[in-house]
C-alpha cells in the first residue's frame, strides 16, 4: 500500500518560513513526478510546485507563478521524501497543503497524480 505523509505545517507570521516534508512509502518504483498542491477553505485546489526526475541524478523543478521565487521544492537522494521550503510567506498562502506522487498524464499543474497524502495545514497570520 502506497502512503504519502505530509508534515511540517503550522502557524507562522507573514514573512516567516516553513519547511514541509512528504514521506512516501510502499512505492515499488520511483515516480518521475512529485507535486505539491494546496486548497484554502472555499477555494479550488491549486498547484504549487513539482519536481521531476531527469535521468539518474538530474531533477527539474516547476513552480506556480504565485510562489515562484519564494518556495523551493526538492527530493532526497533515495527519491522517497519530498520537501517544500516556503519563505516570505503571505496570508494568502494559508491552506491545506497536499503532496502527490506519480503523474498519470498531462501537465503537473492539472493534478492528475495517482497518489495523494492527507495534507498538512499552513496558516499565515499576524
Amino acid at each position: 500500500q502506497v502512503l504519502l505523509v505530509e508534515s511540517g505545517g503550522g502557524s507562522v507570521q507573514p514573512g516567516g518560513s516553513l519547511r514541509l516534508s512528504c514521506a512516501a512509502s510502499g512505492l515499488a518504483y520511483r515516480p518521475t513526478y512529485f507535486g505539491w498542491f494546496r486548497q484554502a477553505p472555499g477555494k479550488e485546489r491549486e498547484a504549487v510546485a513539482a519536481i521531476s526526475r531527469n535521468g539518474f541524478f538530474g531533477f527539474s523543478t516547476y513552480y506556480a507563478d504565485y510562489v515562484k521565487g519564494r518556495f523551493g521544492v526538492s527530493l532526497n537522494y533515495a527519491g522517497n521524501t519530498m520537501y517544500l521550503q516556503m519563505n516570505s510567506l503571505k496570508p494568502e498562502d494559508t491552506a491545506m497543503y497536499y503532496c502527490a506522487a506519480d503523474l498519470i498524464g498531462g501537465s503537473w499543474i492539472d493534478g492528475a497524480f495517482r497518489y495523494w497524502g492527507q495534507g498538512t495545514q499552513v496558516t499565515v497570520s499576524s
Side-chain angles (χ1 to χ4, degrees), residues 10 29 60-61 68 70 82 98 101:
Y29 56 93
S60 293
T61 56
K68 202 172 291 184
R70 300 188 297 123
M82 178 176 60
Y98 300 90

Side-chain angles (χ1 to χ4, degrees), residues 84-98:
L84 185 68
Q85 178 66 44
M86 305 187 296
N87 301 322
S88 302
L89 283 162
K90 305 175 180 180
E92 51 263 44
D93 294 318
T94 295
M96 185 71 79
Y97 282 71
Y98 300 90

Side-chain angles (χ1 to χ4, degrees), residues 10-83:
S11 295
V12 65
Q13 291 187 341
S17 298
L18 284 173
R19 189 192 194 205
L20 306 184
S21 298
C22 171
S25 61
L27 286 166
Y29 56 93
R30 288 184 173 184
T32 301
Y33 271 88
F34 282 86
W36 286 100
F37 295 79
R38 68 187 186 187
Q39 187 167 20
K43 295 187 177 181
E44 293 188 355
R45 185 186 68 194
E46 60 182 13
V48 175
I51 186 166
S52 66
R53 187 182 305 279
N54 299 325
F56 195 77
F57 293 110
F59 296 95
S60 293
T61 56
Y62 314 89
Y63 299 96
D65 286 343
Y66 35 82
V67 303
K68 202 172 291 184
R70 300 188 297 123
F71 289 12
V73 61
S74 59
L75 193 64
N76 71 342
Y77 179 76
N80 57 9
T81 303
M82 178 176 60
Y83 303 95

